[in-house]
Amino acid sequence: MPVKLICASHSPLMEFASPQDSSQEQKVRTVFAKLSEQVKAYNPTLIIAFGPDHFNGFFYDLMPSFCVGIRASAAGDWNYGPGKIDVPEQTALSLVRCVLNEGVDVTYSYRMQADHGVTQPLHFLCDGQLDRYPTIPVFVNGAAAPMPTPKRTVALGRAIGQFIKSLDLEAERVLILGTGGLSHDPPTPQMGAVPPEVEEFLIAGRNPTAEARQARQAKIIAVGQKLAAGDTSVAVPLNAKWDQALLEKFAQADFAALEAMTEDEIRREGGRGGQEIRCWIAAFAAFAELGQYQMTTHVYEAISEWIAGFGIVSAELKD
């Protein structure tokens, strides 16, 4: 059955900061280059990309737990894009119908703005071309509390796995992509803990000016530099132990343990951006619907300058 999976952390700081230990960056970029060649050889006819958002495309004026892009473009943050994502519209609508029929309520958008949570991994895995392969972006809320439970996220993944099973897999080559985390605590503002003008941004901050976007990005770059210098007051420190335990859960397809995780636990152990592991959870749940799998961990590095426990894995179905 021609279905493959890749899950990868993301960090927009990859293009704005270099780790003191240059070997960390080299390992990550080497793996991305290797997997990009594998994706090119596989030549997927469809990518289903589970990704979060960082208040670039989704806001509190109407915050879904899950949203499927029927039409989508890059938000353009961190210089990924702008540009359209090649969403096969009728296939995306069929996915939505299947998920609804499986009992999972999902929203959908004819004007999705996908931020670097989707566009960065597409950039690295698709030769910098966001529209190289037909792609359905699936937003999973991992930034705006309250968030979907891991249990409900598994249900979403399983429903999309059923959709994949419904395809003509003799003709299709499907790549499931998940992105986010692992331990990761960027300075994402939180409702109820910020001044009114920041709350207004969280509610309706679409399409900021170039100056506003640059100022926001500069704050994030500064946090990475302070964290790398040992200032743990600016962010929850990276948690390699938690990250490795998560990777083991994914390798063992231990969905019971993943479902038992709570929003508070993830925030405490993995930071604000640790909530993005829901995208990995959904991706692996979709893949597991197709059969037993074998996961390979290509790289894991705790990179403070990128504010990320950076992991990249792939998985193949067992014979």
Side-chain angles (χ1 to χ4, degrees):
M1 184 180 293
V3 181
K4 298 179 183 294
L5 175 143
I6 296 173
C7 282
S9 302
H10 62 252
S11 171
L13 299 181
M14 286 182 68
E15 309 306 328
F16 294 85
S18 294
Q20 291 183 2
D21 181 354
S22 61
S23 68
Q24 291 184 306
E25 180 171 6
Q26 186 60 44
K27 289 174 185 176
V28 169
R29 293 189 183 276
T30 297
V31 168
F32 269 131
K34 179 179 108 176
L35 291 178
S36 177
E37 288 301 312
Q38 292 181 10
V39 170
K40 186 186 297 184
Y42 182 52
N43 192 25
T45 59
L46 178 64
I47 297 176
I48 298 176
F50 295 93
D53 181 79
H54 310 77
F55 294 101
N56 289 297
F58 290 87
F59 294 83
Y60 273 114
D61 57 355
L62 187 61
M63 180 59 68
S65 292
F66 312 121
C67 184
V68 176
I70 308 300
R71 298 173 188 164
S73 60
D77 58 314
W78 298 97
N79 300 331
Y80 295 112
K84 288 186 177 180
I85 295 171
D86 181 16
V87 182
E89 190 168 318
Q90 292 304 313
T91 305
L93 285 169
S94 295
L95 183 152
V96 169
R97 291 189 180 99
C98 181
V99 171
L100 293 173
N101 289 341
E102 290 293 319
V104 178
D105 293 330
V106 64
T107 61
Y108 44 94
S109 173
Y110 279 80
R111 195 171 288 172
M112 178 186 283
Q113 287 188 323
D115 83 349
H116 69 271
V118 169
T119 57
Q120 188 186 70
L122 287 178
H123 172 85
F124 281 114
L125 294 171
C126 305
D127 282 344
Q129 301 174 49
L130 302 182
D131 59 352
R132 184 182 180 98
Y133 305 105
T135 300
I136 301 175
V138 181
F139 163 72
V140 179
N141 178 20
M147 303 171 204
T149 64
K151 184 175 183 179
R152 198 61 181 161
T153 305
V154 168
L156 170 74
R158 286 175 173 161
I160 291 179
Q162 289 300 311
F163 165 74
I164 296 170
K165 288 175 73 171
S166 75
L167 299 175
D168 179 1
L169 292 177
E170 295 300 319
E172 301 281 358
R173 294 177 302 281
V174 180
L175 173 62
I176 300 172
L177 178 61
T179 175
L182 299 166
S183 59
H184 180 44
D185 194 41
T188 305
Q190 306 290 302
M191 286 291 287
V194 291
E197 64 272 17
V198 179
E199 283 200 351
E200 180 58 25
F201 162 76
L202 294 175
I203 293 169
R206 291 176 184 81
N207 304 314
T209 65
E211 292 77 15
R213 193 183 292 284
Q214 288 172 2
R216 183 183 176 197
Q217 293 178 176
K219 291 179 182 179
I220 298 172
I221 293 169
V223 168
Q225 293 172 342
K226 289 178 180 178
L227 189 62
D231 183 357
T232 58
S233 69
V234 297
V236 174
L238 301 181
N239 190 341
K241 182 178 179 181
W242 185 73
D243 292 343
Q244 295 289 356
L246 270 176
L247 292 175
E248 184 62 22
K249 290 180 177 69
F250 289 122
Q252 298 300 321
D254 190 353
F255 291 104
L258 293 168
E259 287 181 340
M261 300 174 75
T262 68
E263 187 174 319
D264 287 345
E265 172 193 346
I266 295 169
R267 173 72 172 83
R268 183 176 63 252
E269 298 292 337
R272 284 165 287 190
Q275 307 287 3
E276 297 170 355
I277 63 165
R278 288 167 174 78
C279 300
W280 289 50
I281 291 172
F284 271 97
F287 198 55
E289 284 297 286
L290 305 171
Q292 294 185 329
Y293 61 78
Q294 180 71 41
M295 187 187 97
T296 300
T297 299
H298 296 278
V299 66
Y300 173 80
E301 294 288 335
I303 305 177
S304 295
E305 291 87 349
W306 293 354
I307 323 178
F310 212 103
I312 306 175
V313 307
S314 65
E316 303 272 351
L317 292 170
K318 294 181 179 179
D319 294 333

